[in-house]
Amino acid sequence: MDIKPITVFQILAVPFFSAIFCNAQEPILITQPINDNQLVTLAGNTRPEAIGANDRGPVSDSMLISHMLLQLQRSAQQEQALEALIDGMHNPASANYHHWLTPAQFGSQFGLSQHDLTAIAGWLSSQGFTVNNIYPSGMLIDFSGTAGQVRAAFHTEIHNLLVNGSPHIANMGDPRIPAALAPAISGIFSLHNFSPTPMYRLRDYTVPQGFFTSYLVGPGDVATIYGAN
C-alpha cells in the first residue's frame, strides 16, 4: 500500500471530513484531533528483562531501529464478527464453511479503515519515521527510525542491557502515544532485540532393550511409515 505525504492539517482534519466515505464494515476509531500533549500509555510493552540490574545505559540517539511493528486493534464489533466468521468456517453446517478469505478480503472486512491507517501513517511520518509497509490485513504497520525518534515520539528510552552475559537492547518503559490514536493501536513490537524462545523440550523416544533399541511411535508415525497420508 503506497503512503503519500500528508500534511499536519490533513492529519488533524481527516477524522472529521472523511468519515462519510468509509466502508460501513470499517468503523472509524480515530475521531479526535491528534494532540501530542495528550498521551496514554500502551501497557504491557516492556520486556521483563528491562530492569535496573541489567541496565547498561542508553543507546546512541542515532542508532537505527529497522522494521519496528505497530500492532493495531480492530473495533469490538469487528472482533465479534471475526470470531463468528472463524466459527462458521469450521462448522460444516455453516454457509461460510471453508470459505477462506484472501489477505485483501480479510483487511477489507476486519482491518482498520483507510481513514485510520492514513491518520496513523501520517502521524508516524510527522515524527520522522519511515513507513515501510502497511500489511494487507490492515492490522500491522512496519516502520523504521532512530532511537532518538523513538524517545521523542513514544516517550521511552532504548537502553543497552546485559542479560545472563548476553548484550541486548530494549525500551525501559511502556511507550506512550497520543490519546486520539489509542483506540486503534495496541502496542509496538521490535523496540528490543530479544528473540522468541521455543516452548517445546526435546525428549528421547528410544528404549534400549539389550542389544536392540526400540522406537516409540504414534498413529501419525505409523501413517507416515506406511504411506497412509
Side-chain angles (χ1 to χ4, degrees), residues 119-138:
I120 296 170
W123 178 77
L124 288 171
S125 296
S126 74
Q127 301 301 308
F129 294 111
T130 298
V131 176
N132 303 314
N133 184 36
I134 298 179
Y135 281 70
S137 67

Side-chain angles (χ1 to χ4, degrees), residues 31-47:
T31 59
Q32 301 296 324
I34 300 173
N35 186 338
D36 289 319
N37 295 317
Q38 297 177 354
L39 304 174
V40 297
T41 299
L42 296 174
N45 283 263
T46 303
R47 292 283 307 188

Side-chain angles (χ1 to χ4, degrees), residues 93-157:
S94 170
N96 289 319
Y97 182 60
H98 283 190
H99 284 186
W100 316 119
L101 302 178
T102 66
Q105 290 171 330
F106 183 92
S108 176
Q109 295 184 46
F110 303 109
L112 264 63
S113 67
Q114 184 60 54
H115 162 273
D116 289 341
L117 292 173
T118 300
I120 296 170
W123 178 77
L124 288 171
S125 296
S126 74
Q127 301 301 308
F129 294 111
T130 298
V131 176
N132 303 314
N133 184 36
I134 298 179
Y135 281 70
S137 67
M139 295 301 297
L140 206 62
I141 297 179
D142 180 315
F143 67 103
S144 299
T146 66
Q149 289 168 336
V150 168
R151 186 186 69 251
F154 296 110
H155 307 276
T156 184
E157 291 189 348

Side-chain angles (χ1 to χ4, degrees), residues 142-223:
D142 180 315
F143 67 103
S144 299
T146 66
Q149 289 168 336
V150 168
R151 186 186 69 251
F154 296 110
H155 307 276
T156 184
E157 291 189 348
I158 307 297
H159 280 215
N160 293 294
L161 304 178
L162 188 64
V163 181
N164 297 324
S166 298
H168 291 276
I169 63 167
N171 54 302
M172 296 303 291
D174 285 335
R176 292 188 292 163
I177 60 172
L181 299 177
I185 298 176
S186 65
I188 311 172
F189 297 138
S190 305
L191 291 180
H192 59 80
N193 64 352
F194 287 88
S195 300
T197 55
M199 298 297 291
Y200 68 83
R201 295 292 182 268
L202 294 177
R203 296 182 62 183
D204 187 2
Y205 288 95
T206 59
V207 181
Q209 294 181 332
F211 294 104
F212 302 97
T213 299
S214 296
Y215 299 91
L216 305 181
V217 297
D221 299 310
V222 174

